[in-house]
Every structure is written in structure tokens, then in C-alpha cells.
Amino acid sequence: MDLRRAPRTVIDPKVRHVGFFAPPDRSQSVPLPQSSDSPPLSDLSPSGNSLSPVMIPPPRTISAGLPPNRLLSPLHRFSGDSVIPVGSYNPSEFASPSVADFFEDNNARSPGPRRSRGGGGSGKFASSLPAGGFELPPEVKPKSLTTVSVVSNLQPNVTAKVGEQSSESQDVNSKQPLKEKTSKAERRALQEAQRAAKAAAKGESSFVYLFDSMIFGFFLSVLRNIEGSPSIVILSIHFTVVATVKTGKANNVQKKDNSSSIAASSEKRAGDHKDKDRKKDVPHPRMQFDDTTRVEKAKKRAVVKQTEVRNRVELFRHLPQYEHGTKLPHLETNFFSLNSVHPAVYKVGLRYLTGDISGGNARCIAMLQAFQESIMDYSTPPGKALDRDLPAKINSYISFLIECRPLSVSMGNAIKFVKTLIASLPLTLSESEVKATLSSEINHFINEKIILADKVIVRHAVTKVRDGDVLLTYGSSSAVEMILLHSHELGKRFRVVIVDSRPKLEGRLLLRRLVGKGISCTYVNINAISYIMHEVTRVFLGASSVLANGTVYSRVGTACVAMVANACGVPVIVCCEAYKFHERVQLDSICCNELGDADAISKVHGREEIDHLKDIADNENLQLLNLTYDVTPSDYVSMIITDYGMIPPTSVPVIVREFRREQISSG
Amino acid sequence: MDFQVVVLAGGTSNKLVPLVSKDVPKSLLPVANRPVLAYVLDLLEQSNIKDLIVVVEGEDTDGLVENWISEAYVDRLHVQVASVGEEVGTAGALRAIAHHLTASDILVVSGDLVCDISPGAVAAAHRRHDAAVTALFCASPISGPPESGSSGGKDKTKKPVRHNIVGVDITQQFLLYIAAGMEVEKDIKVQKSILRAVGKMEIHADLMDAHLYAFKRSVLQQVLNQKQTFKSLKLDVLPYLVKSQLRSEILLNGAQAEENGNEKDSYNTDQVMLSQLLANASTPSFHEVYASGPNGFSPAERKTHKCCIYIANKTKYCARLNSVQAYSDINRDVIGDASHLSGYSFSAHNNVIHPSAVLGSKTTVGPQCMLGEGSQMGDKCSVKRSVIGRHCRIGSNVKVVNSVIMNHVTIGDGCSIQGSIISSNVQLQERAVLRDCQVGAGFVVPASSEYKGESLARK
């Protein structure tokens, strides 16, 4: 528990070394003179030029010699005045607003240098952007103009939750479009600063600040050492993961050697207390499937027999990939032995496994309904307490579902909701009351967060559909489908381009339904995207999740569509319910993704004559990669339509924060 | 898992005369020295099904089966035995015990099934599709080595009867058409609506109905109540459900209504949206496509139910004891190819000889043979690919090939038995020669007699 441990916590062996990785210089990372200072609030530049600890600061900023602590100050707002959500603590949440600011800032103020970096230093983003080396035309201004006009439209529909923001944008509305965004960023920064000030006044902000500054200091040092190496982005990601796990330790360490800082002894105690809570609530680090011992352990626990695929792509070894053929028969044979799994949950799991249900909303609803059913059938075993036994039961269901298919972000959020719900039940309720409450609350969640949210999204989005529009969508998103159908019902005349891709060809079902309703459609494969994009006026996309830095995590191929649209100056509108938002920050689609069945891409169903890979499937030189999701950077997203209104991708952290708080107050 | 299991043990089958009798009902016929019902019960026990209902046809046999189960499966299974009148058929048997059925799905297993296919697989497929009925089909077993003589002729007439014409969709998940053996003679009539809805249909003639069905309880009870004339599950209920799958007359007020119920009381548009959202996200089967009409919507909702099929892997063993030929085939397989079913551990010579069995000098027991407890054999005997039951007394110079000999059989010196089935308590006097014969219980075969392809029973 001294200085020497500080760097260890950071470069813990759990850091995954993906790509080539230069070990950080410890001596540089340890001393953090800035961190001991109390944050000079006046130091905050109104421009809000803040950087996230997990982002790569643009070289331009570094050369300007900004003191790093200044960059960190917005973090105070979170550590201080926001109630820390139980069970969802994650440093990335704290870091996120500044990330967003970074993006926004770059968008608004200096699109030029950023773009050029995107082109020149393509190595950095190579992993996150499928076309990192894509040269964007310098005249991107019209595009950003479109974006802004979209944003300025949002005030009539914004709900009270983002009231602050909407009033802000109203003010801004009269100003010139390009300037508007800058001033908005400024305003936000100012707001952050005020919050930070408040937090500092309360004096509760010490440890998170210290921790983050340490991480950041370390990160900077790493950066200095290996700047320009292509692995930085990945490294930073894993950084976040490690940070999540190690918060407790890091806090202790920091507190001891920074006795001169704001952390007074009394606070320390409070901090310790919080620490304890945290340790409990810190989410388990994502299972890394290249860690053999852990995989072995997990295998022993597993209900579903999983055979691992032999030829895996090296870069994706940390993700689970199993032979898809072996799971189902095993699960079927054990149908009657799986007594611990409720039939409804079993059915849902089976349907996940076979791909009968897909799509974030549907999977989430199906899971919640299965839980509801299992709760209704639940009876507390003698000698056990409901509030202990039921969560254990639910946990076993969840692990069963995960074995069938990895959870989506939407499901993760819903599970969090169910768990806080159970945890917050008053002990005085009888069993039947508990069941009734849980059931109605789950119904409430489904109705409010999914169904109503979709309705609100549709109402917002319909205003963006005009007569004569050509709308493009990719894959099959339930929200987008509703938007299209509703616009059609309103009598708007528009055409739809459905872009689809192998192997799932989900767009076909959407196509069938839309054509059935009498909407004029064009169906193309994603190969034709660059051709078709020229005639498109709007792109509507669905999302599996929207992350705190505005990144859109969605069906693989979405990034490509968004990027082409961006290059052609077509606004990209992402429709995503707010319950799918996540406080995680992700810059590439490597660290966290799902691997689908590799056979699906090597075989074409019903076309045996072109099955050229059949006999070499086991060849060790052949590695098949079927990614399920990809990540669209917020640069390519003009607007996100959510149930809280139409927001720029930079405002996602606000929603994430508000959403969490609301959940806590209601749960 | 909310499944109830019903084993239809049957009574005394006419097809198995003279092997069965009042004392030995079909379900207690020994296969490799264990009653055939034991194979089903063991299979269910392996799948962790501990609670089941055994339905026996006929009042007299009821007690026998009950005694045997209570002896063999005490502390292992919770079995309820119900007896129904004779000649009520499988549907009638279920009708009789309908009030005992409470779970949402019912697994109906025929008591004469000898297989190693997990019933869980059928149940899982049933659950997954939320089907009205799921049937297990397996590749028809290759009929035993064609024996020369009259029994070969008998096989020819029987073969087509055992075969079904089965139509499935290309994913081999849904049952689209079924015709049992008798109807095969006529032209096959496939419903246009089904063919139009599904697009492609595979017709199989090489599949055998294993008589293992998973029914949705509400559907089953409704069909049984509405169609009082239905006697057989296989010949009446299953074809009816398959034929009517696209114009379902069943009010699906059971489990399926829970899902569709939302639409019915459509006072809440949210609920409609919810169910639509779920429906859109799942890959629709042709039923759903059909139900929603040609253009994705229909003026009146068409009611459908799903009939699913689970086609077992070809490597699995599956056979039904429903004929004399099948009886000897199964006996041969259980101690031969499918020896894992028998539950015995085979010796180095690939045969099972009970330690208490006594073998005379120069007597050879070949591979794939079984010799039961307390049996005695004289000198210079030879046993090949045969099952010999308990407490048999076999004299010298006896040849037993490809045969089944049940318990307490006495065989005199110099007998030759080939391809025959000899029931319990039969007495074979010296130098009797039997070929492809079935001998009923207690029959006495006179000395030096020769029989070929005959069915011998006590008058």
C-alpha cells in the first residue's frame, strides 16, 4: 500500500495485450504532481476543451501545453453531486462526458485537423473504423450544417428530463448554425464547471478525481512513450476495463500518499465505506476467453455444453466462440434434467440459440416476459428468504441465457433494472404482493422503456420524413420499421432503400412487411451501398446500443453505411431507445463484440455448388470471422433519436446519467 | 419442465400372437431377458423423468404390469398405472385419463418403443416452436435378414404397411403431410393451401413413426373431446392435426392463447405493438406468414397451429415391437448392434452368460448371445446370435441359431432351432426341428417333429 503499488494496479496482468503493446514506463507514470492540487476552477477554459482520460489527445492540444488537470475538471460533477448508482459504478461513466465533449469540440471547432488526422494517422483508428484510411473530402461543412439544423429542431419535443439542454438549444437557435454549436459546447463546459464547483464546495469529490487523474497521468506517459503506435486505441480501452476492477485499490493507494490533498481523514472514512460498497458492486470484468483457467472454470459451471471452435482469429480470442452445431443437441437431450431453469426461460434461451428471436428489443422483451413468468411461478423454498433466493434464481437464469447467446446491452440494462427492483423491495411485503409488484413493474418497464419509447421516437422521427424523400435503412430495426410505417400512414410520399447483408439477410423480412403495406422499396446488398447512396436523402439506422462517447454499437455493416452516407453528405439518423444506452466507452469493435457462427459465412444455404470451403474448413490456415456487431464513431452520426428527444451523439452521457438516476429513484 | 409423461403400454396385441397371452401382455414380453417396457422406463429415467403415468389396456394385465413396475422400479420412479378397457385405442386411452393431465404439455410414449433417442430432444423442439404436436420420426430399421420360406412372403405383405408417407418442410422441422400405411395404396392427396404456403415439401417414405408424441394439452384434450370417433393417435389425431394446421379449428385457449391473447383483447394498442414487435423479430415459420395473409396483413386473422417433427439422427437406434418380425429383430439388435440398450456388460466374447448358468462340455456360446440366470445346457451344444431366458434346461447336441428362447423352456436332446421364438414354459421333445416358428406359451412340441414357418400355440 504505497507508491509502488499504484502503477501495478494499472498495468495489472488483466490488461489484455491486443496487437503489439509497448510496456509503459513506470517511473513516468507514478509521480502525478497535478493530481495533488485542488482543481483550479478558474482554470477551466470556457471553450470546454476537455479530454477524456481514455481518449487520445490530439497532438495539437498537447503541444499547446495545457495542464492535464485542467482537462479533468469536468469529472467533478460526477463524483460530487450525482448520486452514484448502486450496482452500476463504472469509471467509464465518470469519464464519459469529457469524451463527448472532446468529440463535440472537434466536430464543432476544428473539423479540419481532426479529419486530416483521421486520414493521416489512420493506424490509430484502423480497428474502430472499418475504413480508417478513408479520406473525407475537405468540404464537409455542408454536412455539419445539416446536422446542426437537425439539432436545432429539437426543442418542441424534448422532455423535461433534458430541459436544461433544450432551453440551451432554444437560446442558441437564433444564432448562426455553425457558431451555434461552438457556443453550445461552451455552454456545456460552463455548466460542467459550475457543477464541478458545486461538487468541490461539497468537498466530496476527492477520490474519483485522484483516481482519474492518476490514470490519466499514466495514460499520458504511455502515450508519450508509444505515440503513433497503432495499438493505442485498444490499449486505452482495456485501460478502462482495468480501471473498473481496480478502483478500490487505487483509491486506497492514492489516499495514503495524498494526505495533503482535499481528502481529509473524515472523508477518507467515508471513502472507505463507499469503497466497500463499490467493491461489492463493481461489475465483474468481462470474461476474457483467452484466459484458459477462467474458461475451464466457466466450463465446469456451464449448463450448455460448448465446444470451442478450433480455428479462431487471433485478434478475437478474448471473445467466446463455440461450435454452433453442438450446443443445441446437448441442450435438447438435457431438456428434462435442467430443472433449475424455468420452462419459460428455457424456451427463450433455446430460441436465442437457434436464432428464432433476434433484435435487441425483442430479445429483451422475451427475456423480461420469461422472468415475469418464472417469478409468478416462484415460491420461496422453506428456510430461505425471498430477497436472497429469488436473485440467485434469476442469476442462474441469466447465466443460462448467456450460455445460449451473449447478452445484448439492452438485456444487460433490463437485468440491472430487475435486480435493483428485487433488491429495493420492502421486506414487509408478502410473497404474493412481491410477485404482483415485480410483475407489474416489469410490465411497466416494457411499456415505458420500449413500447412508449418507440412511440415517442416515431413521433420525433416522422418530422424528419418529408415528401419525396428517399430513406435508406440497414438490416431490420424495429424502431425504423415503425417510423416508416407511421410516415406511410400519415400519407407522406417517400421511397425506402433497404440495404441488407449476408449471412442473416434480416432486411428481407422488413422488405416483405413494408412492401405488404404498400411502401415503394428498393432492396440492395451492402456491396451496392456507394452506388445507391447518391439518391438517398436520409439514412435511418437502428442500434443495439449507444455508448457514452456517442459511438453507435449496432449490427455489423452499420458503420460502413454510416460512413458512406457521411461521405455523400447524407444525414445519418440513429433511432435508439434510451434504455439501450450504456455508460461504456468503446472505440473499436474488437474489445467487445459477439462472434457468430463461422459456418454461416462460409456456406451459402441451398447453394451446394459454390460451397468451395467445405473440405478446407478444418485447415488451420483458414480462420473464419463472423462478427455480429460493429461500432460507428459519433462523427458519422448526425443525430440520435431517442425517447428523450432528438439529440446529437455528444449528448448521450447526459441521457445515460439521467436515465440511471431516474431508475434509482423509481426503483 | 411442465411436461407430463404418459406411457401407453397397451394390452395383448393381436399382431404378436402367439407370443403374448393373458399372462404375458405385450409390455412384459422379454427383450434380452427384460420386459420391453423396461426399455422405455429406463430411457425416461435417464432423461430425468421420474413421474409418469402408465396406461394399460385390459383389466387383467393391469395387475401384472403394476406388480412388475412396483418390484423393478421401487424408489426409482414414481409411476401411476391406469387401466382402460380393451379396444379403446390410443386416443381412447388418453381420453380415459384426460382428467389426470394437468401440465401444459403431454409427452405420449408408446410402451413398445426400444430406442436411445432422448425424449428431451422432442420436448425441446416442441417447446421451441410452441407446437400443437411434435412427433418423433426415425429412419426405418432395416428389416432383419430375409429368411427363406413363408415368413419372407409374409414380410412382403407387411412391409408397406409399416411405412409412412411423410411430408416435411425443407428445414425438416414441420410436419406437412402424413399418410399411414393403409392409405399409401391410394393416390397421395396433398393440400394445396399447405403446399402454397410452404413452397417446398420433402416427401419421405423411409421414416418410421416412433410413437413418441409431444402434445399441447389443451389441443389434445380438445381434439379428443370434439372428435369422439377418433381411436388412434397415429391414424386419427395426428393426421387430423396435420391436415388442419392452416385452418385450425382448435380454439387455442391454452398456452398459445397467452401469446395471441394480447391481440384478441386489443383494447390496448401497446399490447398489439408489443406482440407485433416480438413477431417481427422472430423468424416466421410458414404458418405465421400464411396467417398474416399474402400481403403481410389479412382482413380476418387466419388461425393456424404448428405440427412439428423431430427426425432422429440415423446413428440412433429406434425400433418398435409391433410384430413378430420386429420382436426377433429387436432381440437380435439389443444384444448385437445396439448393445448399449440392454443394460448388461458384455464379456470379452461379446456375449452375456449369467454366472449361475451351467454349460456342458464342448458347448459353445457364440458372440451376440445371452444366457439367462440358472439355465443349464448339455454337452456339444451350439448357440449363435440367440437369447436364452432364465431357468431353461437344454439337452445335449442342441443347435440354437438366431432365436429367442424365453424362460423355463425345456429342450430335449438333438433339437435344432433356427430363427424361431419360443415362449415360456414350452417343452421341446427330442430331435424336434423348428425353423422360423413362433411357439406359444406352454406348448409341447412332440419328438422328432419338424415345423417350418408356423405359429404354434396351445388350443
Side-chain angles (χ1 to χ4, degrees), chain A residues 183-343:
Chain A
S183 68
K184 198 175 153 207
E186 280 172 12
R187 274 161 183 281
R188 177 154 315 118
L190 210 65
Q191 219 174 12
E192 316 266 83
Q194 279 161 358
R195 282 178 196 235
K198 229 191 275 172
K202 280 183 193 162
E204 288 174 4
S205 57
S206 58
F207 73 89
V208 176
Y209 165 69
L210 294 175
F211 169 63
D212 273 335
S213 60
M214 184 197 70
I215 293 276
F216 186 58
F218 170 73
F219 180 67
L220 274 188
S221 68
V222 169
L223 204 67
R224 254 174 247 135
N225 289 336
I226 51 167
E227 200 168 87
S229 98
S231 66
I232 292 181
V233 179
I234 304 160
L235 166 74
S236 64
I237 287 279
H238 291 294
F239 223 133
T240 335
V241 176
V242 173
T244 321
V245 190
K246 291 295 171 186
T247 319
K249 275 186 200 166
N251 283 338
N252 286 337
V253 173
Q254 283 295 326
K255 246 170 260 142
K256 281 197 178 154
D257 50 50
N258 286 307
S259 51
S260 65
S261 73
I262 333 162
S265 61
S266 59
E267 278 172 28
K268 210 188 263 179
R269 226 174 294 134
D272 277 344
H273 184 69
K274 265 184 190 167
D275 255 16
K276 244 181 229 165
D277 280 351
R278 292 269 164 83
K279 263 179 199 160
K280 239 190 294 165
D281 295 329
V282 160
H284 288 291
R286 197 174 302 280
M287 172 101 163
Q288 301 291 312
F289 284 81
D290 44 359
D291 185 345
T292 35
T293 51
R294 279 169 159 274
V295 169
E296 283 300 316
K297 270 183 203 164
K299 230 183 220 170
K300 273 178 204 158
R301 282 198 307 265
V303 182
V304 185
K305 187 180 153 206
Q306 299 166 320
T307 322
E308 285 184 36
V309 169
R310 268 184 301 158
N311 296 341
R312 289 192 293 175
V313 180
E314 183 61 40
L315 196 56
F316 290 92
R317 273 186 189 252
H318 60 289
L319 299 173
Q321 184 166 24
Y322 300 111
E323 300 268 10
H324 277 237
T326 56
K327 271 184 180 178
L328 185 63
H330 182 79
L331 201 57
E332 280 180 340
T333 337
N334 284 351
F335 181 78
F336 290 105
S337 344
L338 287 171
N339 283 328
S340 61
V341 180
H342 189 271

Side-chain angles (χ1 to χ4, degrees), chain B residues 82-360:
Chain B
S83 70
V84 294
E86 281 178 59
E87 301 300 319
V88 291
T90 44
L94 283 176
R95 208 175 275 138
I97 59 153
H99 56 281
H100 291 297
L101 304 176
T102 49
S104 71
D105 294 281
I106 312 290
L107 194 71
V108 182
V109 190
S110 172
D112 57 4
L113 184 66
V114 180
C115 80
D116 53 359
I117 301 159
S118 161
V122 181
H126 183 70
R127 270 286 156 76
R128 185 184 144 203
H129 292 291
D130 204 14
V133 59
T134 305
L136 170 66
F137 278 77
C138 52
S140 320
I142 310 115
S143 220
E147 303 287 337
S148 56
S150 61
S151 80
K154 214 158 58 177
D155 262 6
K156 260 177 214 163
T157 53
K158 267 189 181 172
K159 249 183 192 170
V161 177
R162 283 225 305 251
H163 282 238
N164 305 299
I165 302 289
V166 181
V168 296
D169 74 324
I170 39 169
T171 57
Q172 303 207 332
Q173 288 177 336
F174 297 106
L175 190 56
L176 306 175
Y177 176 80
I178 183 160
M182 269 72 99
E183 298 166 44
V184 175
E185 307 285 314
K186 308 170 200 160
D187 297 336
I188 295 177
K189 282 180 191 160
V190 181
Q191 274 169 295
K192 240 188 226 167
S193 59
I194 291 181
L195 203 55
R196 203 178 289 147
V198 75
K200 273 183 188 170
M201 187 199 276
E202 283 178 17
I203 302 266
H204 290 263
D206 56 344
L207 294 176
M208 185 190 85
D209 189 350
H211 280 227
L212 195 158
Y213 308 108
F215 283 101
K216 190 167 277 181
R217 180 181 55 90
S218 54
V219 171
L220 180 67
Q221 286 183 338
Q222 209 164 4
V223 171
L224 292 179
N225 282 337
Q226 282 174 359
K227 314 276 176 184
Q228 290 292 339
T229 50
F230 281 3
K231 268 189 84 180
S232 154
L233 285 181
K234 181 194 160 141
L235 297 177
D236 298 320
V237 177
L238 187 63
Y240 167 75
L241 285 174
V242 169
K243 268 181 196 155
S244 64
Q245 56 183 316
L246 289 186
R247 40 175 178 82
S248 177
E249 291 157 21
I250 308 157
L251 294 168
L252 293 163
N253 49 7
Q256 202 162 337
E258 281 162 23
E259 279 175 25
N260 293 349
N262 298 334
E263 284 169 48
K264 276 174 193 159
D265 44 24
S266 57
Y267 57 91
N268 198 343
T269 49
D270 287 355
Q271 293 300 319
V272 177
M273 251 175 97
L274 181 69
S275 52
Q276 218 164 33
L277 206 150
L278 276 178
N280 288 351
S282 52
T283 332
S285 70
F286 70 94
H287 297 94
E288 281 133 20
V289 173
Y290 180 82
S292 62
N295 285 327
F297 64 96
S298 64
E301 197 192 326
R302 304 190 217 190
K303 277 188 198 154
T304 57
H305 60 252
K306 291 181 194 169
C307 299
C308 292
I309 184 168
Y310 182 88
I311 299 178
N313 199 321
K314 282 214 170 78
T315 57
K316 300 274 188 185
Y317 182 79
C318 181
R320 284 191 64 220
L321 204 171
N322 51 6
S323 67
V324 174
Q325 178 66 44
Y327 181 74
S328 55
D329 288 350
I330 291 172
N331 266 301
R332 192 192 61 233
D333 291 337
V334 164
I335 52 170
D337 301 335
S339 57
H340 56 283
L341 279 169
S342 65
Y344 297 100
S345 54
F346 282 74
S347 71
H349 301 291
N350 199 15
N351 56 17
V352 183
I353 297 171
H354 197 272
S356 62
V358 181
L359 270 72

